[in-house]
Amino acid sequence: MTLPKQTQIVVIGGGIIGCSTAYHLARDHKADVILLEQGKLTSGSTWHAAGLVGQLRSSASITQVLKYSVDLYKRLDQETGLETGWKMSGCLRLATTQDRWTEYRRLATTAGSFGMDMHLISADEVKTMWPLMETTDLVGASWLPTDGQASPSDITQSLAKGARMNGARLYEDIRVTGFAMEGGRITHVETDQGNIACEKVVNCAGQWARQLGEKAGISVPLQPIKHQYIVTEPIAGLSTDAATIRDPDKGTYFKEEVGGLVMGGYEPNPQAWTTGDVPDDWEFGLFEDDFDHFEQHMDAAIARIPALANAGVKQMINGPESFTPDGNFILGRAPECDNMYVGAGFNAFGIASGGGAGWVLAEWVVSGEAPLDLWVVDINRFSGMHRDRKWVCDRTCEAYGKHYTVAFPHAEMETGRPHITSPLYERLKAHRAVFGSKLGWERPNWFAPQGTESRDVLSMGRQNWFDAVGQEHAQVRESVGVFDQSSFAKYEVTGSDAAAALDLICANNVTKAPGHLTYTQLLNTRGGIEADLTVARLADDRFYIVTGTGFRTHDLNWINDHLPSGGVTLRDVTEDWGTLSLMGPKARDVLSRVTTADLGNDAFPFAHVREIEISGALARALRLTYVGELGWELHVPLASTGAVFDALMEAGAGEGLRPVGYRAIESLRLEKGYRAWSSDITPNDTPYEAGLGWAVKMRSNTPFIGREALECRQATPLTKRLAGFLVNDENAVLLGRETILRNGDPVGYLSSGGYGYTLGAGLGLGYVKNSDGVSDDWLFSGAYSLVVAGETVPASLGLKPFYDPENTKVKA
């Protein structure tokens, strides 16, 4: 066999993800594709996967990806002639506690929001469906009839055949040894049997994806973890069409196989394999059986299905699976390399995800843009901290151990903390801050009043911080508060071509005279919102950009990818600047006591930036707000952050100035209807749908990325619009994804939800959809309600903010 010398795209890895990606590249895009597998197809972790296929996730886009997988597996055999083993057995998720039952009520609501049919059934109904099950401890179960199971090896071989049928070339027993690179791009894939010139590379190497990525200088933060399950001999009375079972309160899962059961689980004390490199020769490799470790699952499983006690064990599988620090898989173009894409780290959901992941990854590779809002799985959600293999291992083991724990709202991860702290960390601890973590940064979520516990007590209802956050909220609305937002991502764009470059990238006009500050979105070619940020023009050739903490890698690379070549430089300056946001109607009074700068509305208008001196430090003061009150973001040299904080606290003592946390920010911004990227505005949404058309420079003739798509859409009425919803039922806890009903019919779901303390009501934002158009008349002619954890509660719709709709306070 002689390898070709060149091709358009090389896919590395012959598991289900690699074969699916090659299949879709060849079938949908007629791409010239070569797939390389170092052993045999499926010989990594695909062959020993349990094969459960679930579809529902908290993201609508990821649910769509998984639904695509099911649709593909149903019909793939007709195309290729090879069976996939697909069986739509449905899935039962069991609940033994009221908290779990509440979780399922919310899941069922989410399913309805996403167009899926999930039923909540009683213990007696479960017993009827599964006579061998012990059900006396059940509160109930959820039932998703369209879930199922499949044969991982059969699906993969069928995808491989489909890829070949469409012109892809698949090679086994070819090991990739490295990459020839030039200017941040791969020019050749180097193998033990020759080199292949190519335009793009797709890293689908499973548990080898991390070390393969390192050969091209990229980070793929995954960790192989040992995952065990057993296959039993046939069990009398077990139906061949028995539903798959997930029993999270006991940490186990079951599926029928050839009259017996496959049973495994997710233990709270997982066993990581190696933080070093995975051996190249691990073809069809397994570990020794570890019954001592597995016994915890066996005891729980027998308690659930007593017939297991007398069933023979045909085989125990103990193999490595790739898991990630946040439990979501990894897709997209690597930020460190212009032409390497990644599809890896599937957290034992590779079979469920495989069909859809290959579809979206192929689209991404060919177009250079994700076809959907795939932020939750985008490799750009990580940062440099994720190169630390020990940190990744510890956090991944925690995520694995919590795989089946109750999904309490606002739960925080605990391992590897604190990782990054601002200069105010100890000061805020002294104020009884309860911290959360965002991309490694410790950030105060809320502050515990004296006499209360300074920790989160998780609950499915109102949590222990509810009243304390209400006090912080009121402080900002009525007087003044200070937020430590030093974790904000910050960049500088400089050079003679900086203004022209940003004019092309930004949807709003950021080229106003120096001293102006502009809120803008960055759009994809479909007109969807890829980012939203603020751009301060410091000088003719110098701009300062501020964006959200979690979007640091994503936004930096989106800007970098779209900067035209020439006289422009982009630099990440996040760690150079601390950020203190002083917000509230008394903000000017406090700030005026620590600076000689003129803070009057004429001298320092809204949406402007000035350099002002505070406590000997020259601060970049940005006059803007995300809470709906008068305020400034004060960006100060990092080393001066503590001194400036102390000066503000002393100056604001008479106003009761206090530090305020991020949970209050969420409540304050919802009352004002301010959108949050990744929830209310995403790559699936245009500025006009989001009610942000005022921030788009369509009236000028200036070209910008996404303009053509918006011009095309302007010719037709909008079919979805973002609106606010207010709920006066004090028992309704809004979290997002609650179904919106108009005259009793579903028309959308909340993209974010919370509580407005000034309003004394639950509120959220969500898109209302109607194929015939969503005019004001149509929107306001309906009666609205929300489905909240299965209960329908009346709601009011608003297109303007429910708090201070004229925005007068901000401009004061």
Side-chain angles (χ1 to χ4, degrees), residues 601-744:
N601 204 52
D602 292 335
F604 200 155
F606 184 71
H608 280 67
V609 57
R610 299 282 187 267
E611 286 192 339
I612 65 174
E613 186 175 337
I614 306 175
S615 296
L618 197 60
R620 292 174 178 173
L622 281 60
R623 188 170 165 202
L624 74 169
T625 182
Y626 192 53
V627 299
E629 299 295 342
L630 172 71
W632 284 265
E633 277 181 17
L634 304 172
H635 294 249
V636 301
L638 196 67
S640 302
T641 310
V644 172
F645 175 81
D646 293 342
L648 290 172
M649 291 298 292
E650 182 179 352
E655 284 78 14
L657 178 65
R658 58 181 291 183
V660 178
Y662 273 81
R663 288 185 181 150
I665 293 176
E666 181 67 5
S667 170
L668 291 158
R669 73 99 183 168
L670 279 172
E671 286 190 337
K672 278 297 301 175
Y674 291 140
R675 283 71 164 140
W677 192 83
S678 80
S679 56
D680 308 312
I681 50 178
T682 76
N684 292 345
D685 313 308
T686 71
Y688 293 106
E689 293 166 338
L692 297 172
W694 57 268
V696 181
K697 55 191 176 194
M698 293 298 286
R699 292 181 182 177
S700 72
N701 293 319
T702 307
F704 60 89
I705 297 169
R707 181 182 185 114
E708 291 182 6
L710 295 184
E711 287 174 337
C712 290
R713 293 194 180 204
Q714 281 184 324
T716 58
L718 293 175
T719 58
K720 74 172 187 179
R721 286 173 70 184
L722 191 69
F725 293 87
L726 195 69
V727 171
N728 289 311
D729 186 330
E730 62 182 26
N731 295 316
V733 177
L734 304 183
L735 300 172
R737 297 182 298 281
E738 291 83 5
T739 308
I740 302 167
L741 302 178
R742 179 182 182 275
N743 298 336

Side-chain angles (χ1 to χ4, degrees), residues 70 183 186 234 291 301 308 358 379 386 453 472 511 527 576 591 635 643 654 715 734:
V70 168
I186 296 169
F291 191 79
L308 268 175
I379 193 170
H386 293 94
E453 242 185 323
E472 296 174 32
T511 61
D576 294 352
L591 188 56
H635 294 249
L734 304 183

Side-chain angles (χ1 to χ4, degrees), residues 42-50 206-208 222-229 271-274 278-279 282-288 317-323 347-348 400:
T42 78
S43 63
S45 57
T46 296
W47 74 276
H48 63 71
Q207 58 202 340
W208 292 272
L222 56 79
Q223 173 62 46
I225 294 180
K226 299 177 182 180
H227 186 76
Q228 292 190 91
Y229 64 86
Q271 296 176 318
W273 182 14
T274 176
V278 175
W282 191 263
E283 185 178 352
F284 295 111
L286 292 174
F287 305 109
E288 293 292 325
I317 301 290
N318 186 5
E321 298 268 6
S322 296
F323 290 83
N347 301 277
Y400 180 105

Side-chain angles (χ1 to χ4, degrees), residues 279-325:
D280 287 333
D281 58 357
W282 191 263
E283 185 178 352
F284 295 111
L286 292 174
F287 305 109
E288 293 292 325
D289 296 348
D290 188 349
F291 191 79
D292 288 344
H293 191 73
F294 190 73
E295 188 174 10
Q296 57 191 301
H297 294 316
M298 201 71 213
D299 292 343
I302 290 172
R304 178 61 64 211
I305 302 177
L308 268 175
N310 301 314
V313 175
K314 187 161 55 176
Q315 188 179 16
M316 174 175 271
I317 301 290
N318 186 5
E321 298 268 6
S322 296
F323 290 83
T324 64

